Amino acid sequence: MTSASEFANQPAASEGAWRSVADDVYMLVAKPDSVNIGLVVGSTHALLIDCGSTPAQGRRLRELVAELTDLPLVGVAITHE
C-alpha cells in the first residue's frame, strides 16, 4: 500500500490532489465546481466528507480513498445539497 504522503501532491482526473490538513485528515478540491471534499482516517475506519457533484465523481472519489487508505470507508457526511 502506498503511504498517504505519496498521494499528497498527485493530481487526479477531475479532482485535485489529497492534501493533509491535520494528522489523518485530508482534503481535495473537486473540479469544475471547486467543491471541497474531506477525508478523516481513524484507527479502524475512514469517513468521507461530501462526495462530489456527480455519480462518476463519487465513484472516482471512492477510488482515491482506496488509494489513500486500506481502512473501510464507513460513511459519508454530506454538508450541502
Side-chain angles (χ1 to χ4, degrees), residues 59-76:
R59 285 188 294 276
R60 178 66 182 138
L61 286 167
R62 182 64 184 99
E63 293 171 0
L64 291 171
V65 168
E67 291 175 359
L68 193 67
T69 181
D70 58 355
L71 293 175
L73 183 62
V74 295
V76 177

Side-chain angles (χ1 to χ4, degrees), residues 44-57:
T44 60
H45 298 87
L47 173 72
L48 188 65
I49 303 167
D50 291 319
C51 56
S53 301
T54 67
Q57 196 167 51

Side-chain angles (χ1 to χ4, degrees), residues 15-40:
E15 294 74 40
W18 287 116
R19 291 184 291 168
S20 177
V21 295
D23 289 344
D24 298 318
V25 179
Y26 304 90
M27 65 89 56
L28 61 76
V29 178
K31 304 293 181 193
D33 297 324
S34 296
V35 176
N36 291 326
I37 307 293
L39 178 67
V40 179

